[in-house]
């Protein structure tokens, strides 16, 4: 089956306010991408054959649930090129993860895949109100990480002026924001907090500069962190979502309403499943996000388990867009740790810390074993003005934070207040949890 059918189907996409037209487009693309993967990816074909399924069995969107899941381990097991569905001569770019937890995850793009990526990033940035008059500083890492180049080309397609700062050299980053009149930043939320701190050390108040927006992603972040960012820099903070296995940043993005992230479902079909049973859950219920690429031909991902916990919001947004949204990602199923039978997410601890006035979003969670039992130690910084030589005052503050954590997690933790600027700042994704248990 050729791709002419997809070109014809694209004619249906003129008006997504008609959900019937959108669903017809999705089904048309789904049938084509399943056929493409079956014909060209040995692992996918063998799994379908095991289930006695053929591409012709996909007749409705609901038939997607019949197909096998794909997981991150599949990319590692087939490293480097085992999931590619086109010849090498059609591949125009490769990206890869750092490989810190095993073999790197390698992803590939055709020219048409890159065009789709640029398009969804363009839509994301436009949805945040950015345009040709803006100067956008991209402080995601460039190179094999998808964040830098994904943001860069999307901003260029928007027609904005792009500052390709990449990560690191924080003092220089602040200089560029000030001297170039940057109006929008793209980086991880934890790194932007670091930029706020560095600006303050230089005597620069970001609220007095032209910067008005921040597009933050690549790590989960809480509403409390959003509030700290917006207050600290006087900007509007937007949550952007994506992952390399699917395309990179640009799978979904907040609008000015900040009531979920619009998922560009003409290119990425979302499902929510029960993470334990794999059962598909209806819109509105919380579970694990599963994504299917409808427009990516170099390396199609069909029913990819993201491990991100969220829900689908199907009601039209106040902004007028009718494509579905996902709730902000506050946790990942594989980030969860279990302490004395209690499931705990790092985001819960962050929320508890930031609920107390005078705290900062700089913290570390250490898991350790003592007398045969698992325990948690949380090291957290207070704001400089809250630090005191008054031991009684510091003890009261420590108890308030500990109580807040216990009320949210149900666990008592060992809490240490550490001096400001002693917790290492990340220039990329922040590492919060250090598991030092003797038996895991």
């Amino acid at each position: 089956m050729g791709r002419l059918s997809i070109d014809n189907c694209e004619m249906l996409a003129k008006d997504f306010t008609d959900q019937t037209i959108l669903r017809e487009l999705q089904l048309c693309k789904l049938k084509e991408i399943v056929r493409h993967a079956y014909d060209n990816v040995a692992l996918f074909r063998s799994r379908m054959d095991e289930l006695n399924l053929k591409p012709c069995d996909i007749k409705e969107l609901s038939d997607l649930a019949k197909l096998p899941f794909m997981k991150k381990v599949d990319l590692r097991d087939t490293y480097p090129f085992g999931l590619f569905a086109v010849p090498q001569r059609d591949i125009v770019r490769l990206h890869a993860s750092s490989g810190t937890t095993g073999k790197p995850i390698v992803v590939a793009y055709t020219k048409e895949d890159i065009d789709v990526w640029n398009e969804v990033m363009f839509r994301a940035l436009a949805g945040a109100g950015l345009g040709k008059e803006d100067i956008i500083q991209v402080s995601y890492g460039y190179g094999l990480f998808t964040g830098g180049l994904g943001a860069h080309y999307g901003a260029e397609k928007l027609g904005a002026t792009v500052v390709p700062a990449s990560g690191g050299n924080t003092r220089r980053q602040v200089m560029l924001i000030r001297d170039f009149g940057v109006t929008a930043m793209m980086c991880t939320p934890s790194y932007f907090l670091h930029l706020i701190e560095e600006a303050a050390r230089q005597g620069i108040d970001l609220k007095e500069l032209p910067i008005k927006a921040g597009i933050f992603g690549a790590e989960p972040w809480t509403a409390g962190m959003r509030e700290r960012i917006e207050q600290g820099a006087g900007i509007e903070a937007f949550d952007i979502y994506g992952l390399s296995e699917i395309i990179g940043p640009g799978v979904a993005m907040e609008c000015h309403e900040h009531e979920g992230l619009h998922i560009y479902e003409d290119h990425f079909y979302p499902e929510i499943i029960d993470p334990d049973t794999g059962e598909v859950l209806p819109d509105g219920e919380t579970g694990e996000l599963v994504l299917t690429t409808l427009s990516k031909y170099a390396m199609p991902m069909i029913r990819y388990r993201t491990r991100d916990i969220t829900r689908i919001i199907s009601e039209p947004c106040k902004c007028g867009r009718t494509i579905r949204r996902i709730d902000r990602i506050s946790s990942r199923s594989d980030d969860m740790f279990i302490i004395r039978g209690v499931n705990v997410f790092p985001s819960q601890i962050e929320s508890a810390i930031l609920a107390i006035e005078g705290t900062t979003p700089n913290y570390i969670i250490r898991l350790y074993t003592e007398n045969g039992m698992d325990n948690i130690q949380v090291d957290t910084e207070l704001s400089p003005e809250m630090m005191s030589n008054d031991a009684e005052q510091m003890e009261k503050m420590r108890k308030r934070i500990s109580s807040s954590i216990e009320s949210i997690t149900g666990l008592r933790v060992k809490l240490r207040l550490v001096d400001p600027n002693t917790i290492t700042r990340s220039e990329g994704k922040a590492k919060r949890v250090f598991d030092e248990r003797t038996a895991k």
Side-chain angles (χ1 to χ4, degrees), residues 302-375:
I302 296 175
R303 303 202 81 199
Y304 182 77
R305 294 188 61 163
T306 68
R307 299 297 183 185
D308 292 320
I309 304 301
T310 185
R311 66 187 179 98
I312 292 175
I313 305 169
S314 56
E315 298 80 14
C317 182
K318 295 175 185 175
C319 75
R321 294 176 181 84
T322 58
I323 54 176
R324 289 179 293 176
R325 289 162 286 155
I326 54 173
D327 216 346
R328 63 184 291 121
I329 308 293
S330 59
S331 61
R332 291 175 53 85
S333 60
D334 52 2
D335 281 346
M336 184 188 76
F337 50 88
I338 302 174
I339 299 292
R340 299 191 293 276
V342 178
N343 297 342
V344 182
F345 290 97
S347 57
Q348 293 176 299
I349 292 178
E350 180 177 298
S351 296
I353 292 172
L354 295 181
I356 305 300
E357 186 176 356
T359 59
T360 77
N362 302 306
Y363 65 94
I364 287 175
I365 301 168
R366 298 188 186 279
L367 310 179
Y368 66 98
T369 302
E370 185 175 68
N371 298 325
M373 292 187 63
D374 290 344
N375 292 280

Side-chain angles (χ1 to χ4, degrees), residues 84-158:
F84 291 6
V86 299
Q88 181 273 324
R89 64 178 179 272
D90 293 334
I91 302 290
V92 299
R93 193 190 302 172
L94 298 174
H95 281 284
S97 71
S98 62
T100 55
T101 58
K103 289 182 179 179
I105 299 302
V106 179
V107 293
Y109 303 80
T110 65
K111 181 184 181 302
E112 292 76 16
D113 296 338
I114 294 290
D115 291 341
V116 169
W117 194 6
N118 294 344
E119 176 199 331
V120 294
M121 283 301 300
F122 165 85
R123 289 159 68 177
L125 297 176
L130 301 178
K132 293 183 177 180
E133 304 302 317
D134 285 293
I135 301 174
I136 301 175
Q137 184 162 319
V138 178
S139 296
Y140 290 114
Y142 280 64
L144 290 176
F145 174 57
T146 56
L149 288 174
H152 182 111
Y153 285 109
E156 281 193 351
K157 184 175 178 65
L158 186 71

Side-chain angles (χ1 to χ4, degrees), residues 120-342:
V120 294
M121 283 301 300
F122 165 85
R123 289 159 68 177
L125 297 176
L130 301 178
K132 293 183 177 180
E133 304 302 317
D134 285 293
I135 301 174
I136 301 175
Q137 184 162 319
V138 178
S139 296
Y140 290 114
Y142 280 64
L144 290 176
F145 174 57
T146 56
L149 288 174
H152 182 111
Y153 285 109
E156 281 193 351
K157 184 175 178 65
L158 186 71
T161 301
V162 183
V163 182
S166 192
N169 203 338
T170 304
R171 185 175 183 82
R172 183 168 176 264
Q173 297 262 4
V174 173
M175 180 192 74
L176 296 176
I177 294 172
R178 179 194 62 195
D179 294 352
F180 289 3
V182 168
T183 59
M185 283 291 299
M186 300 187 72
C187 60
T188 63
S190 58
Y191 186 55
F192 190 75
L193 284 168
H194 187 25
L195 290 172
I196 294 174
E197 292 177 335
E198 177 59 32
R201 277 193 288 271
Q202 296 182 35
I204 297 171
D205 186 351
L206 294 181
K207 293 192 288 292
E208 296 178 355
L209 300 182
I211 185 168
K212 62 183 180 180
I215 315 300
F216 303 122
E219 63 187 19
W221 51 303
T222 62
M225 186 177 285
R226 181 203 294 274
E227 184 177 353
R228 299 295 174 93
I229 286 173
E230 292 186 334
Q231 290 179 352
I235 66 171
E236 184 175 4
F238 294 86
D239 193 1
I240 190 169
Y241 175 76
L243 58 168
S244 299
E245 300 94 312
I246 298 302
I247 203 165
V251 174
M253 171 77 174
E254 281 185 324
C255 66
H256 290 291
E257 297 297 331
H258 301 289
E259 294 182 353
L261 292 79
H262 294 274
I263 188 162
Y264 302 114
E265 54 176 325
D266 50 321
H267 296 296
F268 316 107
Y269 191 85
E271 299 172 275
I272 298 293
I273 65 166
D274 182 311
D276 296 322
T277 67
E279 175 191 1
V280 177
L281 302 177
D283 289 359
E285 292 197 21
T286 298
E288 180 185 342
L289 177 64
V290 172
L291 291 170
T292 295
T293 56
L294 299 175
S295 310
K296 194 161 185 281
Y297 278 83
M299 193 173 130
M301 287 283 108
I302 296 175
R303 303 202 81 199
Y304 182 77
R305 294 188 61 163
T306 68
R307 299 297 183 185
D308 292 320
I309 304 301
T310 185
R311 66 187 179 98
I312 292 175
I313 305 169
S314 56
E315 298 80 14
C317 182
K318 295 175 185 175
C319 75
R321 294 176 181 84
T322 58
I323 54 176
R324 289 179 293 176
R325 289 162 286 155
I326 54 173
D327 216 346
R328 63 184 291 121
I329 308 293
S330 59
S331 61
R332 291 175 53 85
S333 60
D334 52 2
D335 281 346
M336 184 188 76
F337 50 88
I338 302 174
I339 299 292
R340 299 191 293 276
V342 178

